[in-house]
Amino acid sequence: MADETITIIDNRTGERSDIPIVNGGIDATSWRKALPDVLFTDPALMSTAACESSVTYLDGGEGILRYRGYPIEQLAEHSTYLEVAYLLLHGELPTAEQNEVWIHDITYHTFIHENVRKRFLEGFHYDAHPMGMLVSAVAALSTFYLDAKDIHDPGSRMKQIVRLIAKMPTLAAAAHRFSVGMPFVYPDNSLSFPANFLSMMWKVAEPRFSTHPVLVRALDVLFILHADHEQNCSTTAMRTVGSAHADPYSACAAAAAALYGPRHGGANEAVIKMLNEIGSLDNVDDYIAGVKQGKGRLQGFGHRVYKSYDPRATIIKHVADQVFAVTGKNPLLDIALKLEEVALSDDYFISRRLYPNVDFYSGLIYQAMGFPIEMFPVLFAIPRTAGWMAHWVELLEQDAKIVRPRQLYVGHDKRDYVPVDQRS
Ligand code: ACO
């Protein structure tokens, strides 16, 4: 077997060091011992494995995504979001009995404390962004569950996880209802996880909300597709805060805050804006030409890790067909399809390996289902909670060290304080 090391020769001194490769990565502890004054410069962590993880496998070159070994395509076809959440958290699919208990536990934790709704959510400015409200409300939950601080007790940990997964849709829908001036709708425990969310979103005066089963299933599939994506920006935020042993609500709020950023959870909104700007099929060629000249980017195209078709985008395209058969076609779909066709046959996009990502079609579906654009990052945060929590448990079980990167200082050398009246 080949020697699992990398040899470094420090050309300043001629010193030679053999650094072990552990699980395919260069062992930084051995590196630090051999070359203590040489740090890696990797600000966006593009070549840094920040942890070992067994939650999600991703091969961006081949377009492969698996949760705990199960291909995303199989989970999207056969599973439910709650079952996938269980899988992410426990490492195995639940037995029928475990599934029943899990669904029951989640369903009976969907209510939020009245103060969260009345004092926090209703205290926001009338035009508050629902994602800002969600981030704040999740952080506020930590003050309601004092046992959340028992992070080393697996029983307490799981209690908080159940609460978070269960209450996320309730908080999300409450934020939306407040932002449009509609009364809060209490959870309906007789409904499935996605159906209950739709009920809390859209119910008006009818005694019991019901909608087309295709839409309920479509939402569940979208939740499955967004449940985890290994070490993305928000998960890294959650791992960083979690590594300081903050409670899970605070760590989850940090992750949601990262997701609020347009570079992460807001790309599908940018896609809708771009399609509206293009406006007609006749303008697609000109728009593509503009992108190639450096006038902006094709939103929903390209990915930091996928250098082939994002497997989630393939599934979402099928979901879009099913949803549009019920809701009627989103008028922006034809522009999106033409844009994809033109881009995928253009050497600019082919040579840079730019393909549609998960956000290219998801916004069209959400829009067809009636969700306002501001709710798009919120719709992402609901299912991603399961992934964040799976990584949180993993890092605690690994007894991970607190995240504390180093820096390359590029500021002033030592200089003496100047009194204010002597400064120029
Ligand atoms: N449209 C046009 N050109 C692009 C695009 C795009 N969407 N994405 C990358 N490129 C080009 C760049 O201009 C660059 O070209 P160059 O080599 O001639 O300079 C080359 O492709 C490589 O681009 P990078 O910026 O180095 O790629 P990176 O991996 O850093 O960026 C990112 C990935 C941010 C996703 C990028 O592709 C992008 O901005 N896409 C549009 C926004 C988007 O859809 N984001 C959603 C990502 S999915 C998610 O977060 C859930």
Side-chain angles (χ1 to χ4, degrees):
M1 201 175 101
D3 191 7
E4 288 292 302
T5 61
I6 278 192
T7 301
I8 307 288
I9 299 172
D10 187 340
N11 290 323
R12 299 169 301 178
T13 59
E15 209 170 301
R16 180 192 154 106
S17 317
D18 291 331
I19 313 289
I21 301 174
V22 179
N23 286 338
I26 295 171
D27 180 41
T29 308
S30 309
W31 179 285
R32 206 168 57 239
K33 279 186 193 141
L35 294 156
D37 63 329
V38 182
L39 300 174
F40 292 97
T41 314
D42 189 13
L45 307 182
M46 288 170 72
S47 294
T48 298
C51 62
E52 289 184 352
S53 179
S54 55
V55 179
T56 288
Y57 174 77
L58 199 167
D59 181 334
E62 297 296 323
I64 296 172
L65 176 63
R66 297 182 197 134
Y67 297 159
R68 301 283 188 186
Y70 293 100
I72 192 68
E73 294 79 7
Q74 291 184 25
L75 293 171
E77 189 174 349
H78 302 295
S79 192
T80 63
Y81 168 67
L82 280 191
E83 192 182 54
V84 164
Y86 185 100
L87 169 70
L88 289 168
L89 286 157
H90 295 274
E92 297 296 337
L93 288 165
T95 61
E97 199 182 323
Q98 286 165 336
N99 202 29
E100 203 178 310
V101 173
W102 175 241
I103 292 170
H104 179 274
D105 284 352
I106 297 288
T107 306
Y108 282 85
H109 283 86
T110 48
F111 278 63
I112 51 176
H113 194 291
E114 280 293 281
N115 278 355
V116 174
R117 178 174 72 82
K118 286 192 184 146
R119 309 240 174 226
F120 283 97
L121 295 175
E122 293 184 2
F124 279 96
H125 201 247
Y126 72 94
D127 59 355
H129 193 291
M131 189 63 175
M133 294 171 74
L134 183 74
V135 170
S136 319
V138 171
L141 284 187
S142 78
T143 63
F144 285 80
Y145 304 109
L146 299 181
D147 55 345
K149 301 225 176 293
D150 300 336
I151 60 167
H152 299 296
D153 171 4
S156 170
R157 276 204 302 252
M158 196 44 72
K159 210 195 269 184
Q160 316 314 324
I161 290 171
V162 167
R163 284 174 174 151
L164 265 164
I165 292 176
K167 293 179 199 313
M168 215 59 173
T170 315
L171 293 173
H176 165 72
R177 303 284 293 202
F178 176 77
S179 67
V180 293
M182 295 283 285
F184 176 70
V185 175
Y186 285 93
D188 180 341
N189 287 351
S190 68
L191 296 174
S192 69
F193 187 84
N196 180 37
F197 174 57
L198 292 174
S199 162
M200 292 187 288
M201 282 291 297
W202 310 128
K203 188 169 182 285
V204 187
E206 64 276 38
R208 190 155 186 266
F209 176 82
S210 78
T211 188
H212 201 291
V214 164
L215 302 185
V216 177
R217 177 62 193 157
L219 189 65
D220 214 31
V221 173
L222 285 162
F223 282 173
I224 292 171
L225 300 182
H226 287 89
D228 194 47
H229 210 229
E230 51 121 293
Q231 308 308 319
N232 54 83
C233 181
S234 56
T235 302
T236 301
M238 121 71 55
R239 286 193 84 114
T240 303
V241 176
S243 79
H245 287 178
D247 69 78
Y249 302 97
S250 303
C252 195
L259 194 63
Y260 196 179
R263 279 174 155 186
H264 189 11
N268 45 13
E269 175 177 349
V271 172
I272 298 293
K273 285 187 176 148
M274 173 187 74
L275 295 175
N276 277 321
E277 190 188 324
I278 296 172
S280 121
L281 288 176
D282 298 338
N283 298 333
V284 167
D285 289 326
D286 283 351
Y287 194 86
I288 296 265
V291 167
K292 285 162 64 178
Q293 285 161 18
K295 294 184 201 151
R297 291 194 164 192
L298 198 52
Q299 297 303 324
F301 258 71
H303 198 276
R304 174 58 62 75
V305 286
Y306 288 119
K307 299 303 168 196
S308 65
Y309 216 98
D310 181 338
R312 300 167 301 173
T314 315
I315 299 166
I316 280 189
K317 239 175 134 173
H318 291 304
V319 174
D321 290 338
Q322 291 158 6
V323 168
F324 296 155
V326 175
T327 62
K329 196 167 71 178
N330 187 322
L332 298 175
L333 177 69
D334 287 336
I335 300 175
L337 288 170
K338 171 108 190 270
L339 209 54
E340 180 184 345
E341 186 193 317
V342 174
L344 291 184
S345 56
D346 189 303
D347 191 51
Y348 175 95
F349 296 92
I350 296 169
S351 63
R352 288 169 180 77
R353 305 180 73 185
L354 300 169
Y355 295 87
N357 59 48
V358 67
D359 289 317
F360 194 64
Y361 289 103
S362 64
L364 291 176
I365 300 177
Y366 293 144
Q367 208 181 35
M369 288 174 79
F371 290 103
I373 282 181
E374 305 78 61
M375 282 298 283
F376 290 5
V378 175
L379 288 160
F380 196 156
I382 293 171
R384 185 53 62 87
T385 303
W388 291 331
M389 288 297 106
H391 289 274
W392 178 66
V393 170
E394 188 173 65
L395 87 94
L396 291 176
E397 286 180 349
Q398 289 171 345
D399 198 15
K401 280 182 181 299
I402 185 167
V403 174
R404 203 312 185 179
R406 304 293 302 279
Q407 64 166 12
L408 298 175
Y409 179 68
V410 293
H412 285 286
D413 216 342
K414 178 178 179 281
R415 50 187 181 157
D416 290 324
Y417 179 80
V418 182
V420 67
D421 57 351
Q422 292 170 32
R423 288 176 214 155
S424 54

